[in-house]
Amino acid sequence: GLRIPEDVAIIGFTDTEASEYVTPKLSTIEDQSHKTGTLACELLMRVIKGDMKHYHEVVPMKLMIRESSAKIKDSKQS
């Protein structure tokens, strides 16, 4: 008997097209998996070619807030 988002918020991961077509629309994290895979291949090719440096790469993610999550209400104001 729980209601979304009034009682519980739901957030998915990978931001597929289906996230926008379910009811309520699903909040998700856009993970840019294609960009991560491309970067991983580029780094692997560097290692194969003998580049043994250590790399630190950050692929940004984005929170897509939709209807399945809502702002938390302050219980003191209720």
Side-chain angles (χ1 to χ4, degrees):
L2 295 175
R3 300 168 298 155
I4 302 169
E6 294 84 4
D7 301 320
V8 62
I10 296 178
I11 297 177
F13 196 80
T14 66
D15 194 36
T16 62
E17 278 188 48
S19 303
E20 295 188 46
Y21 299 108
V22 296
T23 304
K25 292 180 181 177
L26 181 64
S27 296
T28 62
I29 296 173
E30 181 183 273
D31 70 342
Q32 300 193 53
S33 57
H34 184 268
K35 186 173 183 177
T36 302
T38 300
L39 181 59
C41 286
E42 289 172 4
L43 294 174
L44 179 59
M45 292 304 297
R46 289 181 189 174
V47 170
I48 290 170
K49 291 177 182 178
D51 183 352
M52 300 305 288
K53 294 180 187 173
H54 289 271
Y55 293 93
H56 177 83
E57 299 286 344
V58 176
V59 178
M61 296 187 184
K62 183 177 180 184
L63 176 60
M64 309 294 290
I65 299 175
R66 297 190 180 102
E67 298 167 354
S68 70
S69 58
K71 186 177 179 180
I72 297 173
K73 296 177 185 175
D74 186 351
S75 60
K76 296 175 187 174
Q77 294 178 358
S78 298

